[in-house]
Amino acid sequence: MKTDPRLKRAAWFLVDAHAEREPFGPFPDDSVPRTVDEAYTVQDEFVALKSRACGPAVGHKIALTTQAMRAMVGLTDSVGGVLHEKQVVRTPATVQVGEYGRLIVEFEVAVELARDLPPGPMPHTRQSVAEAVRAVMPAFELADDRQADYATLSSHALGLVADNAWNEGAVLGSPILNWKDHDLAAVRGVAKINGVQVGEGYGRDAMGHPFEALAWVANNLARRGRYLRAGEFVITGSLVTSKFPKAGDLVEFELGGLGRVELQVN
């Protein structure tokens, strides 16, 4: 089925806005997505265009994992997005803050899949997706809100969905294969900037358990006619409030016995 030209225009608007480092804001009147489904259609078109420079999809993300965050932006559900191959790196990593409109770092549990999670007769659950997990690791999500005005975000919240949930990559830690030896709901994550603790959280802080978030991503994709594939990564929501590092900052995240990740911001 062909995509509505209005939604294609919306995707190109996003491409141009990112290229010109324009602030996040509403779509032009002739390309506004009107529903969540239309916003995901724009996201699909935008991701396809972005893949030309950033590589194919290698994983997925979830945003807005709490009711408070959803209410703040005017949405009733979490939001999914795509990770691109050239934007996913291993720790330790370095980024240039000038390459973002406004860099956001989030502190997450990442999951690597050992096998596909195709749609089935029943929705995916925390228990069913666990059988497909190969490894677990700490991760940073790298996002860019492009200087969004959060006070007005609820008036054009579908733009967040369309704009790939603001994802601009991830930094992954070393894969932990014996993750079953850890209580992922109770694992404690500690975030530091320049050696000073700036937050902490637990695996349960994102939807109760990282695999609840993984199941949400799998079900969101299934509703859209696609699925998670073996070898892909999923970042499952931040355990710590978002941080906005500046040039010169060293950002660290230690996730209990699951290791740590490090990001130098220049």
Side-chain angles (χ1 to χ4, degrees), residues 82-229:
V82 171
L83 306 180
H84 290 269
E85 181 180 51
K86 294 181 181 179
Q87 294 182 316
V88 176
V89 297
R90 292 286 181 180
T91 190
T94 301
V95 297
Q96 305 297 320
V97 72
E99 295 180 355
Y100 302 83
R102 180 163 55 195
L103 173 65
I104 301 172
V105 174
E106 300 203 330
F107 305 81
E108 315 210 3
V109 178
V111 171
E112 180 188 351
L113 296 177
R115 63 172 178 80
D116 295 350
L117 280 172
M122 300 292 289
H124 295 287
T125 66
R126 166 178 159 183
Q127 291 72 29
S128 67
V129 298
E131 300 173 6
V133 173
R134 173 182 178 270
V136 173
M137 67 214 79
F140 293 125
E141 180 184 4
L142 306 180
D144 186 356
D145 70 1
R146 294 193 288 125
Q147 301 289 337
D149 179 358
Y150 289 84
T152 63
L153 185 55
S154 61
S155 66
H156 47 272
L158 293 179
L160 173 60
V161 181
D163 198 7
N164 197 30
W166 289 346
N167 180 260
E168 291 296 336
V171 180
L172 302 177
S174 299
I176 302 299
L177 302 181
N178 65 335
W179 58 265
K180 292 181 180 179
D181 295 340
H182 301 266
D183 182 346
L184 297 182
V187 67
R188 177 173 176 258
V190 176
K192 294 181 180 179
I193 296 180
N194 301 325
V196 177
Q197 183 171 324
V198 294
E200 68 175 14
Y202 295 86
R204 59 180 174 267
D205 290 338
M207 305 187 82
H209 192 284
F211 292 172
E212 293 285 359
L214 176 60
W216 185 94
V217 171
N219 289 325
N220 176 264
L221 289 171
R223 287 192 294 271
R224 296 159 55 202
R226 58 198 66 188
Y227 59 92
L228 290 170
R229 299 175 184 273

